[in-house]
Amino acid sequence: MSHFDFSFYKKSADYVKDVIKDEPETALILGSGLGSFADEIENPVSISYSDIPNFLVSTAPSHEGRLIFGKIGNKKVICMSGRFHHYEGYSFKQLSIPIRLFKLLGVKRVILTNAAGGVNESYSPGDIMIIKDHIKLSSFSPLAGENIPEFGDRFFDVSDMYSSALRKTASEISKSCSLNFHEGVYMYFGGPQFETPAEIRMARLLGADAVGMSTVPEALTAAHCKMPVLGFSVITNMAAGVIPNSKITHEEVGEEAGKISEKFSEYIKKVIMSL
């Protein structure tokens, strides 16, 4: 990978601009098993990640690896079907690439979705958590290293990173949806192993409601770029130790996400239309 300067990111953006010939307003990054939303995009222009200069390639199972531009109603969206994770071997610096591409395309806000393990014992698989804040204990940041002032300030505020205004909208719209919604705190673990029962007890003590292996690097990069974030966790399983003697599998995660993906896609469409 070449040096991560402004021109590095601009090269990706120039290529995508040339293909889509338009300016998306909302960007989405879809988590495990939630790729079906991409099928809802009207007049789609689809770009394989491998065609975009300086972009990354998704290696996680059930992550498709395409950038899709189009419309939801009259709203212009760009959607990543398949995301990147630190556990795939990417540096946190590399994980800044998609969001910075969005910024250079003119995107105004970012919607992040993930599959997560439920820590809060009042949650159940199939529930949706609107993310109000996050916890990460490791000191990494996708913004470490030389600051690029074209994207944002060296030191930046994250007190309303998961935008309270967007959460309010999401909450209102959830009232007309048959899925069960909560608002809570997401805790980041690097993976790829699922968390231990002891780590889950710690997460609960610290105030986490759900745990997962994504979203936080993207949210931090968006905050640096001053782009409001709306985050959703689909609770696909209860985290380790919550249900005695039960094991967690990647298949279970995908299966549970698949069960609600149609209803969740409909809900996300309504949210985008209202923005």
Side-chain angles (χ1 to χ4, degrees):
M1 281 256 163
S2 67
H3 182 59
F4 292 86
D5 55 7
F6 184 71
S7 66
F8 174 90
Y9 301 96
K10 189 175 178 296
K11 196 172 179 186
S12 308
D14 287 347
Y15 176 85
V16 174
K17 276 180 187 170
D18 203 45
V19 177
I20 66 175
K21 296 177 171 43
D22 209 337
E23 196 166 282
E25 302 150 313
T26 301
L28 295 100
I29 298 182
L30 304 174
S32 300
L34 302 169
S36 68
F37 175 82
D39 303 334
E40 305 286 332
I41 296 172
E42 299 149 40
N43 307 323
V45 177
S46 177
I47 307 171
S48 175
Y49 291 168
S50 55
D51 291 341
I52 304 170
N54 297 340
F55 211 63
L56 310 177
V57 178
S58 185
T59 69
S62 82
H63 285 255
E64 195 192 356
R66 303 189 74 75
L67 193 63
I68 302 157
F69 171 77
K71 284 191 166 182
I72 294 290
N74 61 349
K75 305 288 183 182
K76 291 184 277 191
V77 299
I78 193 156
C79 169
M80 272 177 70
S81 185
R83 69 139 51 87
F84 310 111
H85 308 79
H86 182 57
Y87 65 68
E88 293 174 76
Y90 290 121
S91 69
F92 288 110
K93 180 62 111 186
Q94 285 175 298
L95 296 180
S96 70
I97 291 173
I99 296 289
R100 286 179 162 176
L101 166 66
F102 293 154
K103 178 69 176 174
L104 295 178
L105 293 178
V107 164
K108 305 284 181 284
R109 66 193 73 82
V110 180
I111 297 177
L112 305 173
T113 77
N114 61 54
V119 174
N120 187 319
E121 287 164 320
S122 71
Y123 290 10
S124 300
D127 288 0
I128 309 288
M129 182 182 85
I130 299 169
I131 302 173
K132 67 176 175 189
D133 206 346
H134 79 231
I135 300 169
K136 73 167 181 68
L137 293 184
S138 53
S139 59
F140 80 85
S141 171
L143 293 318
E146 196 181 331
N147 186 52
I148 302 176
E150 290 93 337
F151 288 117
D153 303 327
R154 167 83 291 185
F155 303 105
F156 57 101
D157 180 63
V158 289
S159 51
D160 191 37
M161 176 161 39
Y162 300 93
S163 157
S164 47
L166 292 179
R167 291 196 333 258
K168 193 177 172 196
T169 300
S171 233
E172 280 303 313
I173 293 168
S174 75
K175 290 171 187 165
S176 62
C177 177
S178 63
L179 294 169
N180 197 20
F181 281 79
H182 311 272
E183 197 170 81
V185 174
Y186 178 85
M187 185 161 179
Y188 177 84
F189 285 86
Q193 74 285 353
F194 292 109
E195 303 73 29
T196 67
E199 285 169 338
I200 295 305
R201 289 196 298 276
M202 171 195 72
R204 189 178 296 118
L205 281 171
L206 293 177
D209 298 290
V211 293
M213 307 172 192
S214 68
T215 302
V216 167
E218 294 108 323
L220 288 169
T221 308
H224 181 245
C225 289
K226 293 189 168 58
M227 291 156 77
V229 172
L230 179 56
F232 296 99
S233 290
V234 175
I235 307 301
T236 50
N237 56 282
M238 295 314 286
V242 177
I243 299 166
N245 305 320
S246 77
K247 284 192 160 43
I248 303 162
T249 67
H250 186 74
E251 289 67 36
E252 174 197 8
V253 169
E255 225 168 88
E256 202 56 51
K259 279 184 203 166
I260 63 129
S261 77
E262 205 172 303
K263 282 181 181 170
F264 187 52
S265 288
E266 278 306 310
Y267 165 76
I268 294 281
K269 273 172 78 171
K270 286 180 184 163
V271 170
I272 290 169
M273 309 264 270
S274 71
L275 297 173

